[in-house]
Amino acid sequence: MGSMFRSEEVCLAQLFLQSASAYSCISELGERGLLEFRDLNPKVSPFQRRFVGEVRRCEEMEKTFTFLQQELRGAGRVPGPCPESPRAPVAREALRVQEQSEQLAQELREVTRNRASLRGRLRDLRQYLHVLREGQRFTSLPAPLGSPPRPRVLSDREPILDPSLHQHLERKINFVAGVIHPWRVTAFERLLWRACRGYLVASFVEMPEPMEDPATGESITWVIFLISYWGEQIGQKIHKISDCFHCQVYPYPESEASRTDTITGLHSQIQDLSVVLEETEQYLAQVLDKVALVLPTWRVQVQKMKAIYLILNQCSFDVTEKCLIAEVWCPVRDLTQVQDALRQGSYQSGSSVECFVQRVPTSESPPTLIRTNKFTAGFQSIVDAYGVASYQEVNPAPYAIITFPFIFAIMFGDVGHGLLMFLFALWMVLYEDSPRLRQGTNEIWLMFFEGRYLILLMGAFSIYTGFIYNECFSKATTIFPSAWSVATMANHSSWSSEYLATHPSLTLDPNVTGVFRGPYPFGIDPIWSLATNHLNFLNSFKMKMSVVLGIVHMGFGVVLGVFNHLHFKQRHRLVLEFLPEMIFLLALFGYLVFLIFYKWIKFSAADSRVAPSILIHFIDMFLFTSNAENLPLYPGQVLVQTVLVVLALASVPVLLLGTPLYQWCRQRAPRTGGLTAGAVPVQLVATGEQEPLLEGQEAGNSVNATKEDVESGGHSPDAKHLDFAEIFMHQAIHTIEYCLGCVSNTASYLRLWALSLAHAQLSEVLWTMVMRNGFVGLSYVGGVVLVPVFAAFAVLTVAILLVMEGLSAFLHALRLHWVEFQNKFYVGAGYKLCPFAFAPDACE
């Protein structure tokens, strides 16, 4: 919990890596994900760095892997994730991976090329076979007398080579046969007719089976054409037109015997090619199986290897060029693990000289590291969306675990709606290890899944506040007996039958003995749901509740600033900032909370009619006046209110001038030797002794020696060139923002009241206009109508009340935390520690 309360202590360190073991050491550090490396060669081009050749080799292997993956996808196979995370390969293993991957890629290219060639050849043979078969119907001779008639399938016309027609022909008939795309048939036939009118006979018929289009890969039904013509010039025109329309033309034998022999030969060739193609497909499947087995592992290995060389390119060599030096940001508590990782890397590489790590002083602001788990990650993401915490300032996330779902639930209080939200989040929590939920591609779904524990608490808190409001799908539930007695009121009144008939709405008087028997045990009495002044009662209750909770929430944020002042050794801010801020807040708005509770306790139902207005008293407090018509709540109220306003106004100059004058006095004070008041000696983590490396260094240069003021932009109070005007301007802005913010922020918390009422009223309208209509029917009609009505009610409840209203309440709760709560103590001007790790989510 200590690391959640504020960011961990981070130091700047140097790694001294032997050239022979640098690769293994970086690999071991990447597996553990402990350090953030700094680039020591910022002015060196990426193409001029030491290990650019190795990086290029990794990129070439990645190109080969991309080709292999495309081949797998083209075959309808999706390479699965790597079952286990392999370590980065050593140089010899990397060469083996490169050689095997290139060999597999070459085999795939050859087999794929051979398969494409065989498929093309087989497609041409099948098309040729269909062309000859369909051509036989047009050009075959009639059967001899006495023989069984030859069936005609598609045409009742006489064959073109009928001898009875030869007497009308003066020239030899030639043929052009082939296949054409069905989209081009109309234009092809029209052009043939216009170019060769009267000198050809064209026949078109669809192929019996669809075949693949080599250009697009789609399966289409080709059209077979057979053109008979006279004359060589006509034949040349037909061939040219066929080429223009990308027709596949096949030789067409003139005699029937030749055509029969050709068909027989085509059958034999098709059978042989089918066998060869089947064997090729089997071999290709074997190669693809091998690729699918090793490709995920290879990709992870090469990605790790490339990441290691990119890190090595950020290191610098010493004078002898036998040792690499790297600068890293390292959590202090992980220094021991870093040294162990370096020792393990040196052992794996077989180096006799161990690598080591050593802390170095710096005046730079370290990055922020806050360790989270699957439960706290969602709440930390809410805080980081506003701004990453400055180094070691108080982290609002632990408190948001409680306050955020609670403030959301105040605006979303309903037992039914909260239960639906809770069950949805509980389902995601119970099945959080399911790959289907974790590996979704929908960004909105992934957002819901990452915040499943946040939604779980939001639903649970909404159930709690729903019981307080006594609302379940806008309907009140009678968990305990009502504290109001209608029978007692009727017995002690003079209500007659005529009076009851003319007064449908009656008022219960709590001053009558026995009518009100005490407060409801938990939440709001269900009888209020029947009252005509139900909305007025909830208005008063929720408005005052919003003001009380808002002022408590803001006051808690101001108190958290104390921990920042103490941690950064800025005790003067306790007196010059925290104290006037609390006086201003409590003297004005804390007093308002006191008036609310005092009025609740002081006045009962008997004297409620003469109870004064808190709002008028609060206005008179600022005007230093009193209203004779608005009686005081207690004796001496005017004097107390005057003193409180004077204290609040007196705290403003202290808040405005205190810190700038203190800084100015410190700057003019004479310097003394030794450490300043805000510095502590740097300590070694393991032994607690001062590091020899830091001897003789100025203590203020260490990130762990002088804690900088997180609100001054990284400038220490002891800076030599202190700009008084800048400090005064900064403090003036802070004072104006705080004083005006206390007023506007208090009013901003009234959104709790407004959205809570809006949610309740919208839920009631949805019930009244939709669900209640299903109960007005008589007999079986009501039951039949209730089915579609309930379906509509369920859809509208989920779409409007759960999704839209839930998102609205979430955004308003987010704003209350970012603006009204966090600006009291949280700067959020830091940057995350992004450790070098092979995990994809090392730094988000």
Side-chain angles (χ1 to χ4, degrees), residues 535-838:
L535 191 59
N536 294 334
F537 169 74
L538 288 182
N539 264 333
S540 176
F541 167 72
K542 293 184 177 181
M543 181 177 63
K544 294 176 181 178
M545 174 195 65
S546 301
V547 172
V548 171
L549 293 177
I551 294 173
V552 171
H553 197 214
M554 290 190 297
F556 179 63
V558 176
V559 171
L560 287 179
V562 174
F563 297 96
N564 280 333
H565 303 331
L566 294 176
H567 178 78
F568 294 112
K569 308 298 181 183
Q570 297 167 349
R571 300 183 184 276
H572 64 280
R573 289 196 165 188
L574 295 175
V575 179
L576 301 178
E577 291 188 12
F578 168 72
L579 189 59
E581 287 177 354
M582 287 300 296
I583 291 176
F584 185 87
L585 180 65
L586 296 180
L588 298 180
F589 302 99
Y591 178 69
L592 178 61
V593 175
F594 166 76
L595 291 180
I596 293 174
F597 280 97
Y598 184 83
K599 184 177 178 180
W600 281 344
I601 298 173
K602 177 68 175 178
F603 295 91
S604 61
D607 52 359
S608 60
R609 296 182 182 275
V610 298
S613 172
I614 296 177
L615 181 59
I616 296 178
H617 275 304
F618 199 61
I619 295 175
D620 293 340
M621 176 180 174
F622 288 95
L623 299 177
F624 295 98
T625 60
S626 61
N627 193 333
E629 298 179 359
N630 196 43
L631 299 177
L633 290 169
Y634 57 89
Q637 180 179 354
V638 177
L639 178 61
V640 172
Q641 292 180 168
T642 303
V643 172
L644 291 178
V645 174
V646 171
L647 284 176
L649 295 178
S651 63
V652 176
V654 178
L655 184 61
L656 177 63
L657 302 174
T659 300
L661 292 177
Y662 175 80
Q663 300 288 358
W664 182 70
C665 293
R666 287 198 61 183
Q667 183 182 13
R668 294 177 60 88
R671 297 283 180 175
T672 58
L675 294 176
T676 60
V680 292
V682 179
Q683 302 293 329
L684 193 63
V685 178
T687 62
E689 300 176 355
Q690 190 173 4
E691 290 191 51
L693 178 64
L694 301 183
E695 292 180 358
Q697 298 286 343
E698 185 179 352
N701 290 335
S702 174
V703 295
N704 302 309
T706 301
K707 302 299 186 292
E708 297 176 350
D709 179 8
V710 294
E711 296 185 3
S712 61
H715 297 288
S716 173
D718 298 325
K720 294 182 179 179
H721 303 285
L722 193 62
D723 191 349
F724 179 78
E726 181 181 352
I727 295 178
F728 177 78
M729 184 61 66
H730 177 273
Q731 191 64 25
I733 294 174
H734 173 71
T735 303
I736 296 173
E737 180 184 10
Y738 178 81
C739 295
L740 296 181
C742 285
V743 180
S744 62
N745 293 349
T746 303
S748 182
Y749 276 95
L750 292 178
R751 70 185 67 238
L752 301 177
W753 157 52
L755 266 75
S756 177
L757 285 179
H759 181 80
Q761 293 303 308
L762 186 60
S763 180
E764 184 176 352
V765 168
L766 188 61
W767 176 275
T768 303
M769 299 184 65
V770 179
M771 195 62 185
R772 193 175 65 178
N773 294 331
F775 296 102
V776 298
L778 301 177
S779 179
Y780 64 90
V781 178
V784 174
V785 173
L786 188 61
V787 174
V789 168
F790 177 76
F793 174 77
V795 171
L796 292 176
T797 298
V798 173
I800 298 178
L801 294 179
L802 287 183
V803 178
M804 295 179 61
E805 280 285 318
L807 180 60
S808 175
F810 177 87
L811 294 177
H812 283 283
L814 195 64
R815 181 244 154 77
L816 290 177
H817 277 77
W818 281 357
V819 180
E820 279 70 28
F821 173 63
Q822 290 181 186
N823 70 348
K824 300 296 186 296
F825 67 96
Y826 186 70
V827 179
Y831 61 100
K832 277 188 177 182
L833 176 74
C834 296
F836 167 67
F838 296 133

Side-chain angles (χ1 to χ4, degrees), residues 10-31:
V10 177
C11 68
L12 184 66
Q14 284 184 340
L15 303 182
F16 294 89
L17 310 173
Q18 297 297 321
S19 299
S21 59
Y23 180 89
S24 300
C25 292
I26 300 297
S27 174
E28 187 67 28
L29 291 173
E31 295 291 343

Side-chain angles (χ1 to χ4, degrees), residues 127-177:
Q127 288 180 350
Y128 192 16
L129 179 62
H130 285 298
V131 167
L132 294 179
R133 285 178 176 176
E134 296 298 331
Q136 285 282 75
R137 301 175 183 177
F138 299 104
T139 60
S140 59
L141 295 174
L145 294 176
S147 62
R150 184 175 300 173
R152 299 177 180 269
V153 181
L154 296 178
S155 176
D156 294 332
R157 295 175 296 175
E158 293 296 328
I160 295 177
L161 297 183
D162 190 345
S164 61
L165 301 178
H166 285 187
Q167 56 185 351
H168 303 288
L169 300 178
E170 300 178 356
R171 297 182 181 182
K172 179 182 178 182
I173 298 178
N174 297 313
F175 295 93
V176 175

Side-chain angles (χ1 to χ4, degrees), residues 4 60 71 105 117 129 141 150 336 369 395 412 560 657:
M4 276 293 292
E60 291 296 329
E71 292 295 323
S117 176
L129 179 62
L141 295 174
R150 184 175 300 173
T336 306
L369 173 62
N395 180 27
F412 198 76
L560 287 179
L657 302 174

Side-chain angles (χ1 to χ4, degrees), residues 292-334:
L293 182 64
V294 299
L295 183 59
T297 303
W298 284 353
R299 291 184 70 94
V300 174
Q301 286 182 323
V302 173
Q303 287 173 359
K304 290 184 177 181
M305 184 169 62
K306 181 180 178 181
I308 292 173
Y309 284 121
L310 290 176
I311 291 296
L312 290 176
N313 278 334
Q314 297 180 5
C315 304
S316 63
F317 281 85
D318 64 345
V319 179
T320 61
E321 294 194 357
K322 295 182 179 180
C323 178
L324 277 80
I325 302 175
E327 282 191 3
V328 295
W329 290 112
C330 175
V332 174
R333 59 180 289 189
D334 293 338

